[in-house]
Amino acid sequence: MINAAGGATFTVMPAFADSLGGAGIYGILLMAQAGGSLIGAVLAPYMKLERVRLGSIFAAAFCLSGAAWCLSVFTPWTWLVVLIYGLSWFPGGVTNVIINTVIQKGVPEKNMGTVFAAASGLSGIAMPLGSLIGGSLGVITASSSVIAGCGIAVLCVGVFWMFDSVTRSLPAAEHVDESWFAPPASQVQGETVATGP
């Protein structure tokens, strides 16, 4: 979802930056985005979030990111737009570290390459799809409306995850191991024997 919303935002960002002052603002907004993601990734190991349930982390991250993303386009001062937009990418930097840690801990080593390839493929599909939607909407509506809509979409995902029972039941990262993704071989063999002829 973040990748799709990001793709839509990137498409209309030049027009939005032009309304704020031109190409220089565009570069500053991209720098703020990169800075927010980088700071989130750097600080993630020090936030001790491995003790918090994954569902709670991702719901809070998406809610905070979506709210800041949406609010950034309605602030009256350019410096505040840049600051809030950069902060909207901070949660994404944190969750990227956490989800990669969970995958490395929980996915059996023999399947690691397949899982990472699938995750990268889905991310790669989402961004151009978001760019297509964002560009299409940018033709008929203001760039700020497209960016705000992206923020609202991310916020809605976060709110949904807050109330979704499956998401709320996800364990903390420190409790994830290979048995979470795949049952032990002995259990599989036992089930096979029990259901065999």
Side-chain angles (χ1 to χ4, degrees):
M1 184 65 206
I2 287 287
N3 285 343
T9 297
F10 297 155
T11 304
V12 299
M13 186 62 74
F16 177 66
D18 188 59
S19 70
L20 296 177
I25 302 300
Y26 178 62
I28 292 173
L29 285 168
L30 292 182
M31 182 179 68
Q33 173 198 321
S37 296
L38 178 61
I39 293 172
V42 170
L43 294 183
Y46 302 98
M47 298 174 70
K48 306 300 182 184
L49 294 176
E50 64 274 5
R51 304 170 185 173
V52 182
R53 285 183 170 273
L54 293 172
S56 299
I57 293 173
F58 278 85
F62 271 61
C63 286
L64 292 173
S65 179
W69 201 324
C70 181
L71 289 174
S72 66
V73 299
F74 297 114
T75 52
W77 302 288
T78 300
W79 66 268
L80 193 56
V81 172
V82 172
L83 177 62
I84 296 177
Y85 180 72
L87 289 175
S88 72
W89 288 87
F90 176 86
V94 174
T95 54
N96 279 342
V97 172
I98 293 173
I99 193 60
N100 279 286
T101 301
V102 168
I103 290 174
Q104 292 185 40
K105 287 182 63 178
V107 176
E109 186 174 351
K110 64 179 181 180
N111 298 327
M112 193 78 69
T114 303
V115 172
F116 272 110
S120 299
L122 291 173
S123 298
I125 292 171
M127 184 166 287
L129 182 59
S131 297
L132 175 62
I133 297 172
S136 301
L137 292 175
V139 173
I140 60 176
T141 188
S143 57
S144 58
S145 298
V146 176
I147 296 173
C150 291
I152 291 172
V154 173
L155 175 61
C156 288
V157 172
V159 172
F160 172 77
W161 281 351
M162 287 178 63
F163 297 99
D164 178 54
S165 59
V166 175
T167 305
R168 287 190 288 111
S169 67
L170 295 176
E174 65 180 3
H175 297 141
V176 172
D177 54 32
E178 291 188 5
S179 65
W180 189 54
F181 281 96
S186 58
Q187 179 180 338
V188 174
Q189 292 173 357
E191 291 177 354
T192 303
V193 171
T195 58

